[in-house]
């Protein structure tokens, strides 16, 4: 009875809230209607136009050139959004122009790349993804949103939900790695974090699912390059995180720079009209990527700017980021009947809706509060959140003879590598609102532990000259000064901590690499130090998987510390000293050789997957490298050890409406309390489209005390077994499946079941 009442009450509450929501929606739609009725075509087109920040807004007004055009357009109400204007003072200034000087005073939505923090930097997204900790990831995004919103920003161009299997592509640092299931969960967590429960609250901002679609599959990992993928990969691998974003009510999408199967994403009706706004019934708006409308000309798709604008508008690109083509051509295109007024109205309605939801029509300056900006941005509380996230993001790749954790007292430690003292690299590449050189370095973090004697030598310089977000880096490949000193310092020490990898500006947009080794002269430095002292803890600082075979073969302990943000060094020191037991797991496969790339765990079997014996070559392999990775997806160790046992399935079959319980025992067999991310994979053994050898379908984080055992369970339903089939629909097909359980994609336990009708 009690349960019945609870259910009945919640049903009433649900209906009421649904009813209330509908009433609110109707009210908003009516407001949008009334506003649209007042707007001229030029003003409508204006809402579809987004400009980059263009002059020091707090300085004199621009008199000539591009900047003065933009200024005039703001006054005319021909600009719907600006990006890269930030800080309350600047935002207030531009908002004031449109609100007070344009005819209708429609407020701007202010966009910015708040990728893994605003002032306070959390770890880069790939690193955060290694935590597999959805709550922590959501909290980190919420923290970023709070700071950005306090600085006048109302819209972030994040999360990037592009799946990528290619570590050569520099932007893997910005995503959640290679897996569509993990990527989907993380996409939702980030969106929930940014947007919160109430978009009109002063600490939440609109999010963007980007880049739609296929950007992570650029040929040969070269940024902006051609993408050519078939239906199965597009639907089963690339689309799921975008679908999850729609489910999480992400307010905007950004399309991508690339051509997808011959058609640029910005002019791609199939992607934007048929799939996104059609099949998925998406109600938010789509912004183009920076200048991507103009780039349709260089792609060899559009004849000129006018035809690019025509294709983009017809294909469902609602807002033009920095191509200036809608503002130039869209009015004429409508008057000539090449783009229907309905399409323009639809785009404008979508944009206005987000502005209403943000509360900008109630108060255009609601995100412009100097006091809040001062207290929130870079606050101690946020720095603690960044530290917590950083600890969770670290992955222990190798730990022979329990070299780690380090003793806290009485040992002599050499710390080597320019990255050990680097306060800039840990901030990553997307950190435009943070201040340069403000991360806690590894050296600073280690120094806070006073019981040991530390000696630091940089070894070799990693880069020469300037380090900026926009320019090429000059990597040092010739100057060996410092190697001899580092070798000298390493001699007779109990342990050598070497911090090596990539500079913070070696990954990110426009930063593809063909070589994934430790960059510059760092490998040489590592080997020289190893020759005098092999007791090395290698701390990797990097934005993508690296090929570190030599280190894996020789160095006893390896810690993947990515670029961990503002509190990087503190988190690393806590891990090295065992004040935090590592629990991260790789969200991307580490190859042995760049020639294996793209390399990923959820590959398809070939017809000839294994060696037929007798030294025959006719099987799918390389003659000079194994097929297997260096570290598989999902890999990550702890200072304790876990064992998996007693896998049990509640039945050996399930039907399409039923469920199957998969349970097993997880034991902590080591000396430390620890957390393990347990992973459930399946394999659909035969299907209308061949399925991968393994697919992640669920995961959980389990904490165990030393000696403790817990029974852990997962539930499998037909929903989990769905894929985009040869019938071109999402369905689970009957047949035989395998189920795997383990602490990585290599998995420890295995069983099977059948799906019946
Ligand atoms: C990137 C986007 C980013 C935009 C605005 C582009 O170059 O591809 O991801 O949001 O710039 O800064």
């Amino acid at each position: 009875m009690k349960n019945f009442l609870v259910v009945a009450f919640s049903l009433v509450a649900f209906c009421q809230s649904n009813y209330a929501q509908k009433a609110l929606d109707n009210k908003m739609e009516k407001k949008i209607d009334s506003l649209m009725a007042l707007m001229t075509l030029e003003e409508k087109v204006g809402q579809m136009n987004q400009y980059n920040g263009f002059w020091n807004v707090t300085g004199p007004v621009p008199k000539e050139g591009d900047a003065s055009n933009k200024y005039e357009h703001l006054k005319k109400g021909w600009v719907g959004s600006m990006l890269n204007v930030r800080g309350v003072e600047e935002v207030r200034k531009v908002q004031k122009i449109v609100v007070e000087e344009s005819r209708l005073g429609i407020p701007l939505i202010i966009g910015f790349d708040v990728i893994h923090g605003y002032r306070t930097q959390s770890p880069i997204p790939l690193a955060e993804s290694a935590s597999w900790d959805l709550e922590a990831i959501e909290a980190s995004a919420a923290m970023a949103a709070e700071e950005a919103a306090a600085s006048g920003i109302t819209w972030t161009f994040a999360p990037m939900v592009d799946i990528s299997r290619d570590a050569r592509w520099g932007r893997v640092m910005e995503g959640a790695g290679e897996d569509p299931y993990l990527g989907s969960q993380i996409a939702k967590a980030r969106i929930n974090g940014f947007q919160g429960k109430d978009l009109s609250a002063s600490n939440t901002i609109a999010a963007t699912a980007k880049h739609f679609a296929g950007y992570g599959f650029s040929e040969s990992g070269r940024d902006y390059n051609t993408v050519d993928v078939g239906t199965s990969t597009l639907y089963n691998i690339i689309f799921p995180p975008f679908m999850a974003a729609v489910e999480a009510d992400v307010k905007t999408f950004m399309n991508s720079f690339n051509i997808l199967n011959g058609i640029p994403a910005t002019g791609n009706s199939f992607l934007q009209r048929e799939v996104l706004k059609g099949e998925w019934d998406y109600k938010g708006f789509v912004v183009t990527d920076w200048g991507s409308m103009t780039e349709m000309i260089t792609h060899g798709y559009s004849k000129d700017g006018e035809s690019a604008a025509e294709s983009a508008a017809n294909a469902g690109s609602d807002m033009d980021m920095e191509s200036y083509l809608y503002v130039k051509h869209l009015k004429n295109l409508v008057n000539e009947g090449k783009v229907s007024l309905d399409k323009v109205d639809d785009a404008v309605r979508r944009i206005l809706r987000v502005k209403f939801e943000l509360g900008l029509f109630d108060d255009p300056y609601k995100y412009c509060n100097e006091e809040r900006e001062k207290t929130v941005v870079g606050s101690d509380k946020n720095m603690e959140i960044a530290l917590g996230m950083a600890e969770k993001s670290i992955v222990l790749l190798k730990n022979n003879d329990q070299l780690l954790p380090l003793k806290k007292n009485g040992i002599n430690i050499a710390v080597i590598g320019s990255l050990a003292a680097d306060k800039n690299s840990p901030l990553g590449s997307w950190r435009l609102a943070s201040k340069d050189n403000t991360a806690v370095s590894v050296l600073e973090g280690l120094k806070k532990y006073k019981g040991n004697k530390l000696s630091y030598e940089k070894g070799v310089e990693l880069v020469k000259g300037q380090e900026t977000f926009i320019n090429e880096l000059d990597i040092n490949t010739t100057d060996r000064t410092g190697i001899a000193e580092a070798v000298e310092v390493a001699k007779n020490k109990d342990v050598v901590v070497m911090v090596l990898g990539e500079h913070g500006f070696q990954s990110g947009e426009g930063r593809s690499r063909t070589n994934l080794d430790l960059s510059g002269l760092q490998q040489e430095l590592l080997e020289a130090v190893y020759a005098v002292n092999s007791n090395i803890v290698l701390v990797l600082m990097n934005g993508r998987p690296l090929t570190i075979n030599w280190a894996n073969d020789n160095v006893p302990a390896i810690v993947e510390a990515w670029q961990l943000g503002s509190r990087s060094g503190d988190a690393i020191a806590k891990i090295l000293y065992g004040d935090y037991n590592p629990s991260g797991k790789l969200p991307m496969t580490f190859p042995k050789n760049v020639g294996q790339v793209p390399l990923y765990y959820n590959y398809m079997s070939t017809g000839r997957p294994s060696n037929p014996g007798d030294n025959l070559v006719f099987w799918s392999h390389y003659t000079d490298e194994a097929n297997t990775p260096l570290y598989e997806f999902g890999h990550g160790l702890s200072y304790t050890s876990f064992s998996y046992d007693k896998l049990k399935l509640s039945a050996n079959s399930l039907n399409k409406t039923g469920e199957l319980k998969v349970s097993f025992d997880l034991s902590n067999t080591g000396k430390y309390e620890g957390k393990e991310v347990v992973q459930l994979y399946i394999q659909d053994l035969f299907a209308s489209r061949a399925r991968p050898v393994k697919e992640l379908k669920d995961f959980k984080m389990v904490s165990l005390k030393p000696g403790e055992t817990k029974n852990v369970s997962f539930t499998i339903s037909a929903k989990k077994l769905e894929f985009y089939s040869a019938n071109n629909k999402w369905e689970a097909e009957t047949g035989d499946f395998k189920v795997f359980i383990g602490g990585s994609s290599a998995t420890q336990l295995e069983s099977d079941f059948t799906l019946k009708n």
Side-chain angles (χ1 to χ4, degrees), residues 332-584:
N332 287 346
L333 287 166
V334 172
N335 289 336
E336 285 165 18
K338 291 183 176 162
V339 174
S340 71
L341 185 59
D342 279 356
K343 285 197 174 122
V344 169
D345 282 349
D346 176 64
V348 176
R349 193 173 279 284
R350 288 166 184 270
I351 294 164
L352 293 178
R353 197 175 292 134
V354 177
K355 294 186 177 185
F356 268 110
E357 288 178 331
L358 281 162
L360 289 168
F361 284 102
D362 297 329
D363 176 6
Y365 305 108
K366 72 180 294 184
Y367 299 85
C368 295
N369 176 327
E370 283 81 358
E371 274 317 299
R372 194 166 58 231
E373 184 176 39
K374 263 188 232 139
T375 49
V376 165
V377 174
S379 71
D380 291 349
K381 179 190 105 214
N382 289 350
M383 282 297 213
E384 283 307 299
I385 294 173
L387 172 62
M389 191 69 248
E391 293 162 0
K392 293 184 168 93
S393 306
I394 294 172
V395 185
L396 180 63
L397 294 175
K398 182 178 175 191
N399 191 20
N400 276 12
D401 307 324
Q402 306 221 312
L403 179 57
L404 288 173
L406 299 173
K407 286 203 190 76
K408 286 188 179 154
N409 287 299
I411 58 170
N412 285 322
I413 303 178
V415 181
I416 292 173
S418 62
L419 287 173
D422 193 333
K423 292 171 68 61
N424 218 13
S425 278
L427 297 173
S429 142
W430 278 114
R431 36 72 177 250
L432 297 168
S434 70
K435 297 197 169 125
D436 284 348
N437 295 303
T438 50
V440 177
S441 72
V442 182
L443 194 56
E444 288 169 334
L446 288 173
K447 277 186 183 157
K448 292 180 187 163
Y449 286 78
K450 307 270 185 224
N452 292 326
K453 191 165 177 294
L454 291 189
S455 321
Y456 172 68
E457 272 300 330
K458 125 177 121 228
V460 278
E461 214 54 89
L462 180 52
V463 295
K464 301 184 280 186
Q466 60 174 0
E467 304 170 14
T468 70
F469 177 65
I470 53 170
N471 300 110
E472 296 283 356
L473 272 184
D474 190 0
I475 302 292
N476 171 29
T477 52
T478 50
D479 182 0
R480 291 177 167 74
T481 319
I483 295 191
E485 287 80 352
V487 168
E488 211 39 51
V489 158
K491 281 181 188 161
N492 308 318
K493 294 293 185 303
D494 297 298
V495 180
V496 186
V497 174
M498 295 192 73
V499 186
L500 308 174
E502 287 183 317
H503 188 273
F505 286 126
Q506 266 184 287
S507 51
E509 186 176 347
R511 288 156 163 110
S512 299
R513 289 178 64 187
T514 61
N515 179 326
L516 300 176
D517 297 341
L518 298 174
S519 99
L521 296 167
Q522 296 179 101
Q523 179 64 30
E524 216 175 296
L525 173 67
L526 175 61
E527 291 183 31
V529 169
Y530 181 84
V532 298
N533 190 342
S534 60
N535 224 20
I536 295 177
V537 174
L538 171 60
V539 175
L540 292 173
M541 194 179 278
N542 48 308
R544 51 149 70 88
L546 296 177
T547 45
I548 49 158
N549 298 338
W550 188 92
N552 182 59
D553 289 344
N554 296 285
V555 171
I558 307 178
V559 175
E560 174 52 79
W562 317 104
Q563 289 139 3
L564 292 175
S566 303
R567 296 291 299 274
S568 173
D570 289 329
I572 294 168
K574 280 180 85 174
I575 293 268
L576 296 188
Y577 279 112
D579 283 343
Y580 190 92
N581 189 355
S583 53

Side-chain angles (χ1 to χ4, degrees), residues 46 100 126 196 206 217 266 292 385 525 566 628 654 669 717:
E100 291 182 10
L126 186 65
F217 276 70
T266 305
S292 66
I385 294 173
L525 173 67
S566 303
T628 47
L654 84 156
T669 51
S717 63

Side-chain angles (χ1 to χ4, degrees), residues 83-84 113 115 157 171 174 210-211 215 224 254 257 289-290 321 430 509:
L83 76 153
N84 294 331
D113 290 286
I115 306 296
F157 305 126
R171 285 195 94 163
E174 201 181 336
K210 71 186 189 187
H211 306 83
Y215 186 41
Y224 320 123
M254 185 186 287
F257 288 125
D289 204 346
W290 180 289
M321 181 192 287
W430 278 114
E509 186 176 347

